[in-house]
Amino acid sequence: MKEHLIAPSVLAADFTRLAEEIEMVNRSEADWFHLDVMDGRFVPNITFGMFIVEAIGKLARKPLDVHLMIVEPEKYIDGFRKAGAEVITVHYEACPHLHRTIHQIKETGAKAGVALNPHTSVELLRDVIEEVDLVCLMSVNPGFGGQKFIHNSLAKTRQLRQMILDTHSNAMIEIDGGVGLQNAEVLLQAGADVLVAGSSVFGAKDPIATIGALKAFKSVVL
Ligand code: DX5
Ligand code: ZN
Protein backbone atom coordinates (compact mmCIF):
# COMPACT_ATOMS: atom_id res chain seq x y z
CA MET A 1 0.00 0.00 0.00
CA LYS A 2 1.30 3.47 -0.80
CA GLU A 3 0.45 6.63 1.07
CA HIS A 4 -1.80 9.17 -0.57
CA LEU A 5 -2.08 12.85 0.23
CA ILE A 6 -5.12 14.98 1.01
CA ALA A 7 -5.06 18.61 -0.08
CA PRO A 8 -8.03 20.66 1.13
CA SER A 9 -8.85 23.46 -1.31
CA VAL A 10 -9.02 26.72 0.62
CA LEU A 11 -11.31 28.17 -2.07
CA ALA A 12 -14.19 26.49 -0.24
CA ALA A 13 -13.22 27.88 3.17
CA ASP A 14 -15.17 30.60 4.96
CA PHE A 15 -12.94 33.61 4.22
CA THR A 16 -14.45 35.62 7.05
CA ARG A 17 -12.87 33.05 9.37
CA LEU A 18 -9.81 32.21 7.29
CA ALA A 19 -7.37 31.91 10.20
CA GLU A 20 -9.63 29.39 11.96
CA GLU A 21 -10.11 27.40 8.77
CA ILE A 22 -6.33 27.24 8.26
CA GLU A 23 -5.88 26.12 11.83
CA MET A 24 -8.47 23.37 11.30
CA VAL A 25 -6.41 22.05 8.37
CA ASN A 26 -3.22 22.34 10.47
CA ARG A 27 -4.78 20.16 13.16
CA SER A 28 -6.18 17.60 10.69
CA GLU A 29 -4.52 14.72 8.90
CA ALA A 30 -4.39 16.77 5.70
CA ASP A 31 -1.02 16.92 3.93
CA TRP A 32 -1.09 20.11 1.84
CA PHE A 33 -3.03 23.33 1.45
CA HIS A 34 -4.38 23.58 -2.11
CA LEU A 35 -4.59 27.24 -3.18
CA ASP A 36 -6.49 28.18 -6.35
CA VAL A 37 -5.23 31.30 -8.09
CA MET A 38 -7.60 32.55 -10.83
CA ASP A 39 -7.17 35.56 -13.08
CA GLY A 40 -10.51 36.11 -14.81
CA ARG A 41 -8.81 35.40 -18.15
CA PHE A 42 -7.76 31.77 -18.22
CA VAL A 43 -10.87 30.96 -16.18
CA PRO A 44 -14.11 32.93 -15.76
CA ASN A 45 -13.48 33.76 -12.12
CA ILE A 46 -11.02 35.77 -10.00
CA THR A 47 -9.76 34.60 -6.62
CA PHE A 48 -6.52 35.75 -5.02
CA GLY A 49 -2.83 36.23 -5.74
CA MET A 50 0.57 36.23 -4.09
CA PHE A 51 -0.35 38.54 -1.29
CA ILE A 52 -3.01 36.18 0.09
CA VAL A 53 -0.87 33.09 -0.59
CA GLU A 54 1.86 34.65 1.53
CA ALA A 55 -0.58 35.49 4.31
CA ILE A 56 -1.94 31.91 4.33
CA GLY A 57 1.64 30.65 4.41
CA LYS A 58 2.28 32.54 7.64
CA LEU A 59 -0.39 30.46 9.39
CA ALA A 60 -0.08 27.18 7.49
CA ARG A 61 2.08 24.42 8.94
CA LYS A 62 1.83 22.24 5.84
CA PRO A 63 3.14 22.77 2.31
CA LEU A 64 1.32 25.16 -0.03
CA ASP A 65 0.21 23.55 -3.29
CA VAL A 66 -0.46 26.51 -5.58
CA HIS A 67 -2.65 25.88 -8.63
CA LEU A 68 -2.23 28.70 -11.15
CA MET A 69 -5.30 29.09 -13.36
CA ILE A 70 -3.82 32.11 -15.08
CA VAL A 71 -2.48 33.11 -18.49
CA GLU A 72 1.28 33.70 -18.81
CA PRO A 73 2.03 31.91 -15.52
CA GLU A 74 5.78 32.15 -16.23
CA LYS A 75 5.63 35.82 -15.23
CA TYR A 76 4.58 34.98 -11.68
CA ILE A 77 6.45 31.78 -10.82
CA ASP A 78 9.20 33.53 -8.86
CA GLY A 79 6.63 35.61 -7.02
CA PHE A 80 4.58 32.62 -5.91
CA ARG A 81 7.72 30.79 -4.86
CA LYS A 82 8.74 33.78 -2.74
CA ALA A 83 5.21 33.84 -1.33
CA GLY A 84 5.84 30.32 0.01
CA ALA A 85 4.63 27.87 -2.66
CA GLU A 86 6.19 24.40 -2.45
CA VAL A 87 4.30 23.02 -5.42
CA ILE A 88 3.56 25.28 -8.38
CA THR A 89 1.15 23.94 -10.98
CA VAL A 90 0.60 25.60 -14.33
CA HIS A 91 -1.98 24.70 -16.96
CA TYR A 92 -0.94 22.83 -20.09
CA GLU A 93 -3.42 25.00 -22.00
CA ALA A 94 -1.76 28.23 -20.79
CA CYS A 95 1.86 27.30 -21.62
CA PRO A 96 3.11 27.40 -25.21
CA HIS A 97 6.62 26.57 -23.91
CA LEU A 98 5.69 24.06 -21.26
CA HIS A 99 9.10 22.37 -21.08
CA ARG A 100 10.76 25.72 -20.35
CA THR A 101 8.11 26.64 -17.78
CA ILE A 102 8.49 23.31 -15.95
CA HIS A 103 12.23 23.95 -15.63
CA GLN A 104 11.65 27.53 -14.56
CA ILE A 105 9.54 26.20 -11.67
CA LYS A 106 12.14 23.58 -10.73
CA GLU A 107 14.92 26.16 -10.72
CA THR A 108 13.13 28.04 -7.94
CA GLY A 109 13.31 24.87 -5.81
CA ALA A 110 9.55 24.23 -5.99
CA LYS A 111 7.98 21.03 -7.31
CA ALA A 112 6.64 21.48 -10.83
CA GLY A 113 3.06 20.51 -11.62
CA VAL A 114 1.10 20.54 -14.86
CA ALA A 115 -2.71 20.66 -14.84
CA LEU A 116 -4.90 19.32 -17.65
CA ASN A 117 -8.40 20.55 -18.37
CA PRO A 118 -11.06 17.87 -18.80
CA HIS A 119 -10.79 18.00 -22.61
CA THR A 120 -6.98 17.75 -22.70
CA SER A 121 -5.64 14.26 -23.33
CA VAL A 122 -3.04 12.84 -20.96
CA GLU A 123 -1.16 11.63 -24.07
CA LEU A 124 -0.07 15.23 -24.68
CA LEU A 125 2.22 14.98 -21.64
CA ARG A 126 4.17 11.96 -22.87
CA ASP A 127 7.20 13.99 -23.97
CA VAL A 128 7.56 15.83 -20.65
CA ILE A 129 6.23 13.30 -18.16
CA GLU A 130 9.72 12.40 -16.90
CA GLU A 131 10.39 16.03 -15.99
CA VAL A 132 7.24 16.84 -14.03
CA ASP A 133 6.75 16.23 -10.32
CA LEU A 134 2.96 16.29 -10.40
CA VAL A 135 0.13 16.09 -12.92
CA CYS A 136 -3.14 17.66 -11.83
CA LEU A 137 -6.09 16.13 -13.64
CA MET A 138 -8.98 18.56 -13.57
CA SER A 139 -12.11 16.53 -12.93
CA VAL A 140 -14.30 19.65 -13.37
CA ASN A 141 -13.89 22.66 -15.65
CA PRO A 142 -11.62 24.98 -13.69
CA GLY A 143 -13.04 28.18 -12.28
CA PHE A 144 -15.36 27.22 -9.47
CA GLY A 145 -15.62 24.94 -6.47
CA GLY A 146 -18.62 22.72 -5.78
CA GLN A 147 -19.05 21.27 -9.28
CA LYS A 148 -19.92 17.73 -10.26
CA PHE A 149 -17.10 15.24 -10.88
CA ILE A 150 -16.66 14.45 -14.59
CA HIS A 151 -16.74 10.68 -14.82
CA ASN A 152 -14.22 10.36 -17.67
CA SER A 153 -11.55 11.60 -15.24
CA LEU A 154 -11.40 8.10 -13.82
CA ALA A 155 -10.32 6.63 -17.15
CA LYS A 156 -7.81 9.47 -17.53
CA THR A 157 -6.36 8.64 -14.12
CA ARG A 158 -5.81 5.01 -15.17
CA GLN A 159 -4.30 6.07 -18.48
CA LEU A 160 -1.93 8.50 -16.80
CA ARG A 161 -0.90 5.91 -14.19
CA GLN A 162 -0.02 3.53 -17.03
CA MET A 163 2.04 6.22 -18.77
CA ILE A 164 3.91 6.94 -15.54
CA LEU A 165 4.64 3.24 -15.06
CA ASP A 166 5.79 2.84 -18.67
CA THR A 167 8.15 5.82 -18.52
CA HIS A 168 9.40 5.29 -14.94
CA SER A 169 8.37 8.87 -14.19
CA ASN A 170 8.12 9.95 -10.56
CA ALA A 171 5.16 12.25 -11.22
CA MET A 172 2.37 12.22 -8.67
CA ILE A 173 -1.22 12.20 -9.90
CA GLU A 174 -3.46 14.82 -8.31
CA ILE A 175 -7.22 14.88 -8.88
CA ASP A 176 -8.96 18.23 -8.58
CA GLY A 177 -12.68 18.88 -8.63
CA GLY A 178 -15.75 17.14 -7.27
CA VAL A 179 -13.73 14.80 -5.06
CA GLY A 180 -15.22 13.53 -1.81
CA LEU A 181 -16.04 10.45 0.24
CA GLN A 182 -18.19 9.05 -2.60
CA ASN A 183 -15.37 8.71 -5.16
CA ALA A 184 -12.07 8.89 -3.23
CA GLU A 185 -11.55 5.15 -3.04
CA VAL A 186 -12.13 4.44 -6.72
CA LEU A 187 -9.77 7.30 -7.63
CA LEU A 188 -7.06 5.90 -5.38
CA GLN A 189 -7.50 2.47 -6.93
CA ALA A 190 -7.16 4.03 -10.37
CA GLY A 191 -3.78 5.39 -9.33
CA ALA A 192 -4.34 8.82 -7.75
CA ASP A 193 -1.71 10.08 -5.27
CA VAL A 194 -3.18 13.42 -4.18
CA LEU A 195 -6.86 14.19 -3.65
CA VAL A 196 -7.89 17.84 -3.68
CA ALA A 197 -11.11 18.36 -1.75
CA GLY A 198 -12.83 21.73 -1.40
CA SER A 199 -16.54 21.73 -0.68
CA SER A 200 -16.57 18.12 0.51
CA VAL A 201 -14.22 19.15 3.35
CA PHE A 202 -15.13 22.74 4.20
CA GLY A 203 -18.85 22.11 3.64
CA ALA A 204 -18.86 19.03 5.90
CA LYS A 205 -20.40 19.05 9.38
CA ASP A 206 -17.10 17.75 10.71
CA PRO A 207 -14.25 18.77 8.34
CA ILE A 208 -11.52 17.16 10.45
CA ALA A 209 -13.33 13.81 10.47
CA THR A 210 -13.94 14.09 6.73
CA ILE A 211 -10.24 14.69 6.09
CA GLY A 212 -9.49 11.71 8.34
CA ALA A 213 -11.92 9.54 6.37
CA LEU A 214 -10.39 10.63 3.04
CA LYS A 215 -6.96 9.81 4.40
CA ALA A 216 -8.06 6.39 5.69
CA PHE A 217 -9.08 5.01 2.29
CA LYS A 218 -6.62 2.50 0.96
CA SER A 219 -4.46 3.17 -2.07
CA VAL A 220 -2.95 0.39 -4.13
CA VAL A 221 0.54 0.00 -5.49
CA LEU A 222 0.20 -0.20 -9.25
C1 DX5 B 1 -11.50 24.48 -9.44
C2 DX5 B 1 -10.37 24.40 -8.46
C3 DX5 B 1 -10.54 23.37 -7.42
C4 DX5 B 1 -11.73 23.57 -6.53
C5 DX5 B 1 -12.20 22.23 -6.05
O1 DX5 B 1 -11.18 25.32 -10.48
O2 DX5 B 1 -9.15 24.13 -9.11
O3 DX5 B 1 -9.36 23.21 -6.64
O4 DX5 B 1 -11.45 24.39 -5.44
O5 DX5 B 1 -13.37 22.40 -5.35
P1 DX5 B 1 -14.37 21.19 -5.08
O6 DX5 B 1 -13.63 20.16 -4.31
O7 DX5 B 1 -15.46 21.85 -4.29
O8 DX5 B 1 -14.83 20.68 -6.42
ZN1 ZN C 1 -7.35 23.60 -7.86
Side-chain angles (χ1 to χ4, degrees), residues 36-63:
D36 289 306
V37 175
M38 303 187 191
D39 65 353
R41 294 189 62 209
F42 181 67
V43 287
N45 195 10
I46 300 178
T47 56
F48 48 78
M50 285 168 263
F51 184 71
I52 298 289
V53 169
E54 192 175 355
I56 292 172
K58 285 186 180 146
L59 299 175
R61 297 196 295 274
K62 299 179 179 190

mmCIF file of all heavy atoms in Angstrom, residues 36-63:
data_model
loop_
_atom_site.group_PDB
_atom_site.id
_atom_site.type_symbol
_atom_site.label_atom_id
_atom_site.label_comp_id
_atom_site.label_asym_id
_atom_site.label_seq_id
_atom_site.Cartn_x
_atom_site.Cartn_y
_atom_site.Cartn_z
ATOM 1 N N ASP A 36 -6.051 27.961 -4.972
ATOM 2 C CA ASP A 36 -6.491 28.177 -6.355
ATOM 3 C C ASP A 36 -6.388 29.637 -6.746
ATOM 4 O O ASP A 36 -7.180 30.467 -6.304
ATOM 5 C CB ASP A 36 -7.948 27.716 -6.497
ATOM 6 C CG ASP A 36 -8.074 26.204 -6.423
ATOM 7 O OD1 ASP A 36 -7.374 25.525 -7.198
ATOM 8 O OD2 ASP A 36 -8.852 25.708 -5.588
ATOM 9 N N VAL A 37 -5.439 29.929 -7.616
ATOM 10 C CA VAL A 37 -5.228 31.300 -8.090
ATOM 11 C C VAL A 37 -5.908 31.443 -9.458
ATOM 12 O O VAL A 37 -5.597 30.693 -10.387
ATOM 13 C CB VAL A 37 -3.719 31.602 -8.206
ATOM 14 C CG1 VAL A 37 -3.481 32.980 -8.802
ATOM 15 C CG2 VAL A 37 -3.050 31.468 -6.834
ATOM 16 N N MET A 38 -6.850 32.360 -9.573
ATOM 17 C CA MET A 38 -7.595 32.548 -10.830
ATOM 18 C C MET A 38 -7.535 34.013 -11.254
ATOM 19 O O MET A 38 -7.616 34.905 -10.408
ATOM 20 C CB MET A 38 -9.061 32.153 -10.632
ATOM 21 C CG MET A 38 -9.254 30.725 -10.138
ATOM 22 S SD MET A 38 -10.992 30.276 -10.109
ATOM 23 C CE MET A 38 -10.897 28.721 -9.193
ATOM 24 N N ASP A 39 -7.433 34.204 -12.579
ATOM 25 C CA ASP A 39 -7.165 35.565 -13.081
ATOM 26 C C ASP A 39 -8.298 36.212 -13.858
ATOM 27 O O ASP A 39 -8.147 37.325 -14.375
ATOM 28 C CB ASP A 39 -5.905 35.537 -13.963
ATOM 29 C CG ASP A 39 -6.100 34.709 -15.241
ATOM 30 O OD1 ASP A 39 -7.156 34.051 -15.379
ATOM 31 O OD2 ASP A 39 -5.202 34.730 -16.099
ATOM 32 N N GLY A 40 -9.424 35.523 -14.019
ATOM 33 C CA GLY A 40 -10.507 36.105 -14.810
ATOM 34 C C GLY A 40 -10.225 36.120 -16.305
ATOM 35 O O GLY A 40 -10.991 36.711 -17.072
ATOM 36 N N ARG A 41 -9.141 35.483 -16.721
ATOM 37 C CA ARG A 41 -8.814 35.399 -18.153
ATOM 38 C C ARG A 41 -8.686 33.946 -18.580
ATOM 39 O O ARG A 41 -9.359 33.502 -19.479
ATOM 40 C CB ARG A 41 -7.509 36.161 -18.446
ATOM 41 C CG ARG A 41 -7.675 37.657 -18.226
ATOM 42 C CD ARG A 41 -6.462 38.404 -18.727
ATOM 43 N NE ARG A 41 -6.283 38.210 -20.162
ATOM 44 C CZ ARG A 41 -5.103 38.246 -20.787
ATOM 45 N NH1 ARG A 41 -3.988 38.453 -20.095
ATOM 46 N NH2 ARG A 41 -5.016 38.079 -22.077
ATOM 47 N N PHE A 42 -7.850 33.201 -17.894
ATOM 48 C CA PHE A 42 -7.761 31.767 -18.218
ATOM 49 C C PHE A 42 -9.039 31.061 -17.789
ATOM 50 O O PHE A 42 -9.488 30.120 -18.441
ATOM 51 C CB PHE A 42 -6.538 31.132 -17.539
ATOM 52 C CG PHE A 42 -6.404 29.674 -17.860
ATOM 53 C CD1 PHE A 42 -6.103 29.253 -19.151
ATOM 54 C CD2 PHE A 42 -6.630 28.695 -16.893
ATOM 55 C CE1 PHE A 42 -6.022 27.908 -19.475
ATOM 56 C CE2 PHE A 42 -6.549 27.348 -17.206
ATOM 57 C CZ PHE A 42 -6.242 26.957 -18.495
ATOM 58 N N VAL A 43 -9.601 31.513 -16.685
ATOM 59 C CA VAL A 43 -10.873 30.962 -16.182
ATOM 60 C C VAL A 43 -11.838 32.126 -15.904
ATOM 61 O O VAL A 43 -11.389 33.237 -15.626
ATOM 62 C CB VAL A 43 -10.669 30.124 -14.886
ATOM 63 C CG1 VAL A 43 -10.009 28.804 -15.182
ATOM 64 C CG2 VAL A 43 -9.886 30.906 -13.847
ATOM 65 N N PRO A 44 -13.130 31.834 -15.949
ATOM 66 C CA PRO A 44 -14.109 32.928 -15.757
ATOM 67 C C PRO A 44 -14.381 33.230 -14.286
ATOM 68 O O PRO A 44 -15.528 33.273 -13.845
ATOM 69 C CB PRO A 44 -15.356 32.377 -16.469
ATOM 70 C CG PRO A 44 -15.230 30.900 -16.347
ATOM 71 C CD PRO A 44 -13.765 30.583 -16.358
ATOM 72 N N ASN A 45 -13.320 33.423 -13.533
ATOM 73 C CA ASN A 45 -13.481 33.764 -12.119
ATOM 74 C C ASN A 45 -12.158 34.364 -11.636
ATOM 75 O O ASN A 45 -11.101 34.099 -12.220
ATOM 76 C CB ASN A 45 -13.807 32.497 -11.307
ATOM 77 C CG ASN A 45 -14.336 32.815 -9.921
ATOM 78 O OD1 ASN A 45 -14.639 33.964 -9.594
ATOM 79 N ND2 ASN A 45 -14.437 31.795 -9.087
ATOM 80 N N ILE A 46 -12.223 35.160 -10.591
ATOM 81 C CA ILE A 46 -11.021 35.771 -10.002
ATOM 82 C C ILE A 46 -10.994 35.395 -8.532
ATOM 83 O O ILE A 46 -12.018 35.487 -7.843
ATOM 84 C CB ILE A 46 -11.068 37.313 -10.142
ATOM 85 C CG1 ILE A 46 -11.131 37.714 -11.630
ATOM 86 C CG2 ILE A 46 -9.846 37.944 -9.468
ATOM 87 C CD1 ILE A 46 -11.240 39.214 -11.865
ATOM 88 N N THR A 47 -9.841 34.943 -8.058
ATOM 89 C CA THR A 47 -9.761 34.605 -6.624
ATOM 90 C C THR A 47 -8.730 35.501 -5.942
ATOM 91 O O THR A 47 -9.030 36.629 -5.595
ATOM 92 C CB THR A 47 -9.457 33.108 -6.401
ATOM 93 O OG1 THR A 47 -8.247 32.775 -7.099
ATOM 94 C CG2 THR A 47 -10.622 32.238 -6.874
ATOM 95 N N PHE A 48 -7.531 35.001 -5.764
ATOM 96 C CA PHE A 48 -6.520 35.751 -5.016
ATOM 97 C C PHE A 48 -5.148 35.519 -5.636
ATOM 98 O O PHE A 48 -4.983 34.641 -6.480
ATOM 99 C CB PHE A 48 -6.523 35.339 -3.533
ATOM 100 C CG PHE A 48 -6.505 33.838 -3.323
ATOM 101 C CD1 PHE A 48 -5.341 33.110 -3.459
ATOM 102 C CD2 PHE A 48 -7.683 33.151 -3.005
ATOM 103 C CE1 PHE A 48 -5.321 31.733 -3.282
ATOM 104 C CE2 PHE A 48 -7.668 31.764 -2.819
ATOM 105 C CZ PHE A 48 -6.494 31.061 -2.959
ATOM 106 N N GLY A 49 -4.182 36.334 -5.195
ATOM 107 C CA GLY A 49 -2.832 36.228 -5.741
ATOM 108 C C GLY A 49 -1.783 36.015 -4.667
ATOM 109 O O GLY A 49 -2.064 35.461 -3.596
ATOM 110 N N MET A 50 -0.586 36.504 -4.959
ATOM 111 C CA MET A 50 0.569 36.232 -4.091
ATOM 112 C C MET A 50 0.410 36.748 -2.670
ATOM 113 O O MET A 50 0.862 36.127 -1.717
ATOM 114 C CB MET A 50 1.809 36.890 -4.684
ATOM 115 C CG MET A 50 2.319 36.129 -5.856
ATOM 116 S SD MET A 50 3.547 37.065 -6.762
ATOM 117 C CE MET A 50 2.599 37.758 -8.048
ATOM 118 N N PHE A 51 -0.217 37.893 -2.581
ATOM 119 C CA PHE A 51 -0.353 38.544 -1.286
ATOM 120 C C PHE A 51 -1.113 37.647 -0.293
ATOM 121 O O PHE A 51 -0.696 37.472 0.863
ATOM 122 C CB PHE A 51 -1.098 39.867 -1.528
ATOM 123 C CG PHE A 51 -1.269 40.728 -0.334
ATOM 124 C CD1 PHE A 51 -0.180 41.379 0.230
ATOM 125 C CD2 PHE A 51 -2.533 40.912 0.224
ATOM 126 C CE1 PHE A 51 -0.356 42.187 1.341
ATOM 127 C CE2 PHE A 51 -2.711 41.722 1.325
ATOM 128 C CZ PHE A 51 -1.614 42.363 1.892
ATOM 129 N N ILE A 52 -2.202 37.057 -0.777
ATOM 130 C CA ILE A 52 -3.013 36.175 0.092
ATOM 131 C C ILE A 52 -2.291 34.839 0.305
ATOM 132 O O ILE A 52 -2.314 34.274 1.396
ATOM 133 C CB ILE A 52 -4.414 35.942 -0.531
ATOM 134 C CG1 ILE A 52 -5.161 37.269 -0.661
ATOM 135 C CG2 ILE A 52 -5.225 34.925 0.256
ATOM 136 C CD1 ILE A 52 -5.636 37.891 0.620
ATOM 137 N N VAL A 53 -1.628 34.342 -0.745
ATOM 138 C CA VAL A 53 -0.867 33.085 -0.592
ATOM 139 C C VAL A 53 0.169 33.264 0.524
ATOM 140 O O VAL A 53 0.331 32.413 1.399
ATOM 141 C CB VAL A 53 -0.196 32.681 -1.926
ATOM 142 C CG1 VAL A 53 0.811 31.548 -1.721
ATOM 143 C CG2 VAL A 53 -1.259 32.274 -2.948
ATOM 144 N N GLU A 54 0.842 34.391 0.505
ATOM 145 C CA GLU A 54 1.864 34.651 1.529
ATOM 146 C C GLU A 54 1.245 34.732 2.925
ATOM 147 O O GLU A 54 1.784 34.187 3.890
ATOM 148 C CB GLU A 54 2.588 35.959 1.201
ATOM 149 C CG GLU A 54 3.827 36.149 2.028
ATOM 150 C CD GLU A 54 4.611 37.386 1.632
ATOM 151 O OE1 GLU A 54 4.243 38.075 0.642
ATOM 152 O OE2 GLU A 54 5.600 37.668 2.318
ATOM 153 N N ALA A 55 0.092 35.364 3.019
ATOM 154 C CA ALA A 55 -0.583 35.488 4.315
ATOM 155 C C ALA A 55 -1.001 34.109 4.831
ATOM 156 O O ALA A 55 -0.816 33.782 6.012
ATOM 157 C CB ALA A 55 -1.795 36.401 4.184
ATOM 158 N N ILE A 56 -1.544 33.274 3.927
ATOM 159 C CA ILE A 56 -1.940 31.914 4.325
ATOM 160 C C ILE A 56 -0.710 31.147 4.790
ATOM 161 O O ILE A 56 -0.742 30.435 5.795
ATOM 162 C CB ILE A 56 -2.659 31.190 3.150
ATOM 163 C CG1 ILE A 56 -4.018 31.859 2.891
ATOM 164 C CG2 ILE A 56 -2.827 29.695 3.436
ATOM 165 C CD1 ILE A 56 -4.755 31.363 1.637
ATOM 166 N N GLY A 57 0.396 31.342 4.068
ATOM 167 C CA GLY A 57 1.644 30.652 4.415
ATOM 168 C C GLY A 57 2.149 30.984 5.812
ATOM 169 O O GLY A 57 2.837 30.170 6.436
ATOM 170 N N LYS A 58 1.818 32.159 6.288
ATOM 171 C CA LYS A 58 2.277 32.539 7.639
ATOM 172 C C LYS A 58 1.579 31.718 8.710
ATOM 173 O O LYS A 58 2.114 31.518 9.793
ATOM 174 C CB LYS A 58 2.018 34.029 7.867
ATOM 175 C CG LYS A 58 3.009 34.885 7.116
ATOM 176 C CD LYS A 58 2.874 36.351 7.423
ATOM 177 C CE LYS A 58 3.911 37.115 6.616
ATOM 178 N NZ LYS A 58 3.434 38.422 6.196
ATOM 179 N N LEU A 59 0.368 31.241 8.405
ATOM 180 C CA LEU A 59 -0.390 30.461 9.395
ATOM 181 C C LEU A 59 -0.318 28.960 9.128
ATOM 182 O O LEU A 59 -0.529 28.154 10.028
ATOM 183 C CB LEU A 59 -1.857 30.900 9.391
ATOM 184 C CG LEU A 59 -2.132 32.366 9.761
ATOM 185 C CD1 LEU A 59 -3.603 32.690 9.585
ATOM 186 C CD2 LEU A 59 -1.685 32.644 11.195
ATOM 187 N N ALA A 60 -0.057 28.597 7.875
ATOM 188 C CA ALA A 60 -0.083 27.179 7.493
ATOM 189 C C ALA A 60 1.154 26.453 8.011
ATOM 190 O O ALA A 60 2.264 26.970 7.908
ATOM 191 C CB ALA A 60 -0.156 27.067 5.978
ATOM 192 N N ARG A 61 0.945 25.250 8.509
ATOM 193 C CA ARG A 61 2.079 24.424 8.938
ATOM 194 C C ARG A 61 2.249 23.215 8.022
ATOM 195 O O ARG A 61 2.878 22.224 8.402
ATOM 196 C CB ARG A 61 1.882 23.986 10.397
ATOM 197 C CG ARG A 61 1.861 25.172 11.380
ATOM 198 C CD ARG A 61 2.061 24.737 12.838
ATOM 199 N NE ARG A 61 0.983 23.913 13.321
ATOM 200 C CZ ARG A 61 -0.154 24.372 13.851
ATOM 201 N NH1 ARG A 61 -0.357 25.678 13.949
ATOM 202 N NH2 ARG A 61 -1.088 23.541 14.276
ATOM 203 N N LYS A 62 1.690 23.304 6.845
ATOM 204 C CA LYS A 62 1.826 22.237 5.842
ATOM 205 C C LYS A 62 2.135 22.907 4.504
ATOM 206 O O LYS A 62 1.826 24.085 4.328
ATOM 207 C CB LYS A 62 0.516 21.451 5.763
ATOM 208 C CG LYS A 62 0.193 20.812 7.102
ATOM 209 C CD LYS A 62 -1.081 20.033 7.145
ATOM 210 C CE LYS A 62 -1.192 19.466 8.556
ATOM 211 N NZ LYS A 62 -2.232 18.505 8.761
ATOM 212 N N PRO A 63 2.733 22.163 3.577
ATOM 213 C CA PRO A 63 3.136 22.771 2.308
ATOM 214 C C PRO A 63 1.977 23.404 1.528
ATOM 215 O O PRO A 63 0.848 22.910 1.561
ATOM 216 C CB PRO A 63 3.722 21.591 1.529
ATOM 217 C CG PRO A 63 4.144 20.618 2.569
ATOM 218 C CD PRO A 63 3.178 20.762 3.703
#
